[in-house]
Amino acid sequence: MGTHEHSHGHGHGHGHGHGHGHDRFSDEAATWDDRPGHAERATAVAARLRETLPLRPDMTAIEIGGGTGLLSRALVDDIGTATVTDVAPGMVEVAAGTLDDPRYAGWSARRYDIEHDPLPEERYDLVVALLALHHMGDIPTVVRRCVDLLAPGGHVAIIDLDHDEDGAFHQHLDDFDGHHGFTREDAHRWLEAAGASDVRLTDAGAVTKETEDGERDFPMFLATGRRV
């Protein structure tokens, strides 16, 4: 069963600044959490992560292309602290305001472009990216950098669209220049090439949205791996 969203909406997270995508997401940041399907999807994916990964209350996490941090916040009772990152300044601003709450003591939000910015010095127990990578360019490099952000024994979890051959998910965006999802074989190969072990691909639910041909489910995958 999928989570619904507006036809002009988009997945929970996003990645880069090709075209004017990051401007669009900054404009949408204030109402992002209230969009149909967004919070529900983060909650459902968080449940899948609990089932799949050995989450611990002392874990440090970083969310890539995290928007307002919906996924990280859905894991607040499962992890220690999280750093929510995004390339859209508006999203980072909203995330920072939302995290100004005792529940999120020690959490932070920062502008960060994993594809182009230098890697930070910090290493994390968990790296998550929800519907972010399909907005980026060089995906094998981004996946490698996600693995590079892990501390030894840490886990990466990438949730994104299965390959959408006809591009229907983003057909409403005239300037979309990202990827129309990915094959699970590619995701598996990229994680292994990045040095991750225990690579696994599983179902992660679906996004239900209106297209020109009516309502349609767009399935998502969860790709996980561990740094030795």
Side-chain angles (χ1 to χ4, degrees), residues 35-227:
R35 294 282 179 87
H38 286 192
E40 294 86 351
R41 178 159 56 254
T43 299
V45 170
R48 194 63 53 94
L49 294 181
R50 284 185 206 102
E51 297 167 0
T52 308
L53 298 177
L55 302 180
R56 305 185 318 271
D58 63 343
M59 276 183 130
T60 60
I62 183 169
E63 186 171 358
I64 302 300
T68 62
L70 275 170
L71 178 56
S72 292
R73 285 186 274 135
L75 295 170
V76 64
D77 295 326
D78 305 281
I79 61 175
T81 59
T83 301
V84 177
T85 70
D86 203 278
V87 298
M91 286 290 186
V92 176
E93 184 179 352
V94 171
T98 305
L99 296 178
D100 185 16
D101 181 300
R103 289 191 77 200
Y104 308 113
W107 292 40
S108 63
R110 71 174 72 156
R111 188 183 183 283
Y112 180 61
D113 180 346
I114 192 170
E115 188 173 3
H116 302 105
D117 292 344
L119 282 178
E121 291 184 8
E122 302 99 319
R123 293 296 177 263
Y124 300 87
D125 301 313
L126 178 65
V127 176
V128 295
L130 172 54
L131 294 176
L133 268 65
H134 67 260
H135 286 271
M136 302 185 193
D138 182 354
I139 305 305
T141 293
V142 171
V143 171
R144 177 176 54 77
R145 301 189 100 209
C146 284
V147 174
D148 287 346
L149 281 171
L150 291 172
H155 290 80
V156 60
I158 295 168
I159 306 94
D160 220 304
L161 296 167
D162 281 304
H163 184 54
D164 169 27
E165 193 168 354
D166 56 6
F169 189 87
H170 292 99
Q171 65 186 5
H172 58 286
L173 298 176
D174 295 333
D175 62 348
F176 180 73
D177 62 351
H179 304 267
H180 296 298
F182 309 104
T183 68
R184 300 189 183 196
E185 293 78 13
D186 278 345
H188 194 285
R189 183 165 48 84
W190 292 329
L191 278 167
E192 285 203 328
S197 64
D198 301 333
V199 176
R200 294 190 175 94
L201 273 290
T202 57
D203 296 333
V207 180
T208 304
K209 69 188 297 183
E210 291 290 336
T211 71
E212 292 173 358
D213 300 318
E215 194 173 88
R216 180 170 154 187
D217 284 346
F218 294 88
M220 299 183 295
F221 63 82
L222 164 63
T224 58
R226 184 172 64 89
R227 182 167 188 174

Side-chain angles (χ1 to χ4, degrees), residues 5 34 143 193 205:
E5 66 174 38
D34 301 321
V143 171

